[in-house]
Amino acid sequence: MVRKGLITEIFSKALYSDNPKSYLVGYIDRRITKETTLEEFLKLSENFELIPATRIVYIKKENNILYSKSKIP
């Protein structure tokens, strides 16, 4: 699954070699896109147990979009 691999790669880099607070994650919650920091997302999702990777719409660092669901076929 390319999508989860790319998301996992971005999360891993953010957590282990960057500042995870500088990453924002947009995800679907009851048909609404919510945005939170990567750290908070991991707490909320309980490591993808409550919020699966398939509900992630985008991942941004500052003004750069690192992952967008619309970019993935």
Side-chain angles (χ1 to χ4, degrees):
M1 181 180 246
V2 172
R3 186 175 308 158
K4 186 159 184 191
L6 178 58
I7 291 171
T8 302
E9 186 179 310
I10 293 168
F11 278 24
S12 179
K13 179 183 177 201
L15 292 169
Y16 301 111
S17 64
D18 207 347
N19 178 6
K21 292 179 182 175
S22 66
Y23 290 76
L24 295 175
V25 178
Y27 64 97
I28 300 293
D29 183 28
R30 297 185 181 139
R31 298 183 185 179
I32 298 169
T33 302
K34 294 188 175 181
E35 184 176 273
T36 188
T37 64
L38 181 121
E39 279 186 326
E40 188 62 28
F41 177 80
L42 290 175
K43 289 176 193 171
L44 290 171
S45 72
E46 295 185 13
N47 201 27
F48 298 110
E49 292 294 317
L50 298 178
I51 305 170
T54 56
R55 288 181 31 202
I56 295 175
V57 179
Y58 61 84
I59 303 170
K60 296 191 292 189
K61 181 180 179 193
E62 297 159 3
N63 290 328
N64 298 320
I65 297 173
L66 304 175
Y67 166 82
S68 174
K69 201 172 226 181
S70 62
K71 288 183 181 177
I72 306 295

